[in-house]
Amino acid sequence: DEFLSSPPRKTVRFGGTLADILVKYDKGETTDFELLKHQLSDPDIKDAQIINWLHEFRASVVYLTKELEQLVTILLKLPWLRRSQEVVEEYLGFLGNLVSAQTVHLRPVLRMIISHFVPPRITIREDDVDISDSDDDDENLSENFNTCHRALQTVARYVPSTPQFLMPILVENFPFINKSERTLECYVHNLLRVTVYLPTLRLQILELIIEKLLKLDVSTPQQDIEDAEETANNSDSEEKSTEEGLFDMEEDEETKENKTVSFSSERMAHPLAERLDILMTIVFSYIKDTCHVNGKLDINNTKDLYRDLVSVFDKLILPTHASCHVQYFMFYICSFKLGLAEAFLDHLWKKLHDPNNPSVIRQTAGSYIGSFLARAKFIPIVTVKACLDLLVNWMHKYIDNQDMGSNAYCDIALHGPFYSTCQAVFYTLIFRHKQLLDGNLRKGLSYLQSLNFERIVMCQLNPLKICLPSIVNLFAAITRKYQLVFCYTIIERNNRQFIPVVRSGTGGDLVQTCTNPLDSFFPFDPYVLKRSKKTIDPFYQFWEELSAEDLEDLKKPVKKDTSEDEDDDFLKGETPQNDGVVEIAPNSYESNTRSPVSSIGSPPDCFVQCP
């Protein structure tokens, strides 16, 4: 108040008062008006001059109508952010007066503020080519962002309809995915900050961010990321060996330390994966900070955010095929409380068994249920059993309805959701069978026998023919070991019926192609982004690579008359853990054609021999 009531400092200026200049302009005298525009556009304008002019403009906003849009545009281009605190305060006051008196200028004001959500552009030229980008190291960047958010809150306070005008501007200003990592990081971070003081926009902002992340995710298949990492590691190794060969001498300590840092770098080799990794880290941090107040989980905040994220999941994630990483925001928030995980499973279950949903959505929901039950460490075995009961009962009812009808034959188009549910159950059993049998083998076997897998496997719909061979083989080995069902006869019969698909290759050669009948994928397969995976790993169930002894053990059936004491001999095998073992899990139909290096998460297709 003291600052605002004090008279402005005297500065050298030309023309009369602002009110006089605007009145003359209205009468057609433009000389002073052009001089005013020239002074305001001067790149060397002093702080005192800016304060002086802004003080007059605040008192004359009533004149700044639509006809003076050009003058307002010049005012909005004033370099106010990197000025003294007095300039910043005066400018914020001017913005408040302007939008409250002349709402016609609301959009330009919002565009100006949002344009500062990324670092300023620095002009860089190499050989007459403009390679400018906004990746600078401005020490005041954080303070500038804080000021921008103050400006946006000021405008929103004066104009309650600000959110509906702001959202389209946030969408159109979102940087292209090929912009620098720093630009994307700053913009996404600032978008999420907006949701704190404009909560009505949270759902739309989350949708915008997740939509952009999905585009990055589907543009960078996991195989491409792994190939890029392997190539980068190989090139690093070659450089190191070349240096050691050329310079066989002791290095000083500083050089050794630098080398260690470079080799342990968390940077992703694939440029788009690097951007995705940074942005996923920001999203995970936002979820954690929103759900926790003073380090403790806030149930109400968590529930509200969960509802918004489920809405985004339904709209964007569920219809998107084969995304690798973005869907983990649901995995992460569900790890905070068991109730959230159970609510998510219930939500997916409703999607799966509702016949009004499109078949492809139902199948994807089945894939999510199976992958979530198998991979989420925080889901207790009692919840797994409850889900298996629900899924298996539905499968038996489905078989009841189909066995007597005219559609009781193997057809993906007719029975896609059924096959997807079968695969989800098989996949869950592969990961969780040791826990299901833990402690009391007889009781565990009794439970598994009650699921009546034999009827599912033997039914006319023949799920073993449709599900991924890698899963079918593991399921067959496990169920044979515990004498639940003997699948190999059906597998052999299906193999005899299989007709290879051939197509004409580029050179006219016949190429055999393997098809994934369900076109299925496992959405919670191993997460490979280096920085953000640190958030996921503590809650993630990795697959334990099977040793030769385990393979042999799977071939030995468990005797029916096993006593309680003998149960412990079987149960000495540990439940899958994530203790530094290279993870191998069944997730690829064509895994038998892939090299071990590139098949993270994929056991060989036929690693268990049929007896």
Side-chain angles (χ1 to χ4, degrees), residues 193-370:
R193 281 187 67 178
V194 171
T195 67
V196 176
Y197 54 84
L198 294 178
T200 56
L201 286 182
R202 183 167 74 178
L203 178 58
Q204 295 176 68
I205 287 175
L206 287 173
E207 282 183 4
L208 171 62
I209 292 171
I210 297 301
E211 182 185 4
K212 300 297 183 182
L213 291 182
L214 265 179
K215 288 181 180 177
L216 270 174
D217 202 4
V218 297
S219 302
T220 52
Q222 193 161 322
Q223 190 60 47
D224 290 0
I225 296 174
E226 291 167 10
D227 291 345
E229 289 297 319
E230 188 180 352
T231 303
N233 290 337
N234 289 341
S235 63
D236 285 346
S237 301
E238 286 173 11
E239 286 177 16
K240 187 178 179 183
S241 61
T242 305
E243 287 175 10
E244 286 175 353
L246 290 173
F247 308 104
D248 190 11
M249 60 182 72
E250 291 186 8
E251 296 172 321
D252 58 39
E253 290 300 317
E254 187 180 351
T255 309
K256 286 184 180 179
E257 286 176 10
N258 291 339
K259 276 197 169 188
T260 306
V261 170
S262 67
F263 279 113
S264 62
S265 171
E266 292 181 337
R267 193 172 178 82
M268 301 294 297
H270 196 295
L272 294 184
E274 171 68 7
R275 290 165 174 76
L276 183 61
D277 193 12
I278 291 170
L279 299 184
M280 286 301 294
T281 304
I282 293 173
V283 170
F284 289 152
S285 298
Y286 172 77
I287 292 172
K288 183 179 180 182
D289 292 345
T290 304
C291 296
H292 293 79
V293 177
N294 298 324
K296 293 183 178 179
L297 186 70
D298 185 291
I299 299 300
N300 292 326
N301 288 356
T302 305
K303 284 181 179 178
D304 290 342
L305 181 59
Y306 170 81
R307 290 188 193 102
D308 284 346
L309 291 178
V310 165
S311 177
V312 176
F313 176 84
D314 285 348
K315 183 175 180 180
L316 298 174
I317 303 292
L318 208 52
T320 303
H321 181 69
S323 58
C324 297
H325 302 97
V326 179
Q327 59 266 23
Y328 270 90
F329 68 79
M330 285 306 306
F331 190 97
Y332 183 52
I333 193 170
C334 287
S335 70
F336 293 163
K337 194 168 180 62
L338 178 59
L340 296 176
E342 291 176 341
F344 183 50
L345 286 166
D346 183 60
H347 180 75
L348 291 169
W349 161 245
K350 287 173 181 173
K351 293 279 183 188
L352 172 63
H353 82 90
D354 184 358
N356 294 318
N357 285 326
S359 180
V360 65
I361 295 295
R362 297 175 68 190
Q363 288 176 224
T364 306
S367 296
Y368 270 93
I369 291 173

Side-chain angles (χ1 to χ4, degrees), residues 496-508:
R496 286 196 297 271
Q497 292 173 352
F498 177 73
I499 301 172
V501 180
V502 292
R503 61 178 172 82
S504 179
T506 311

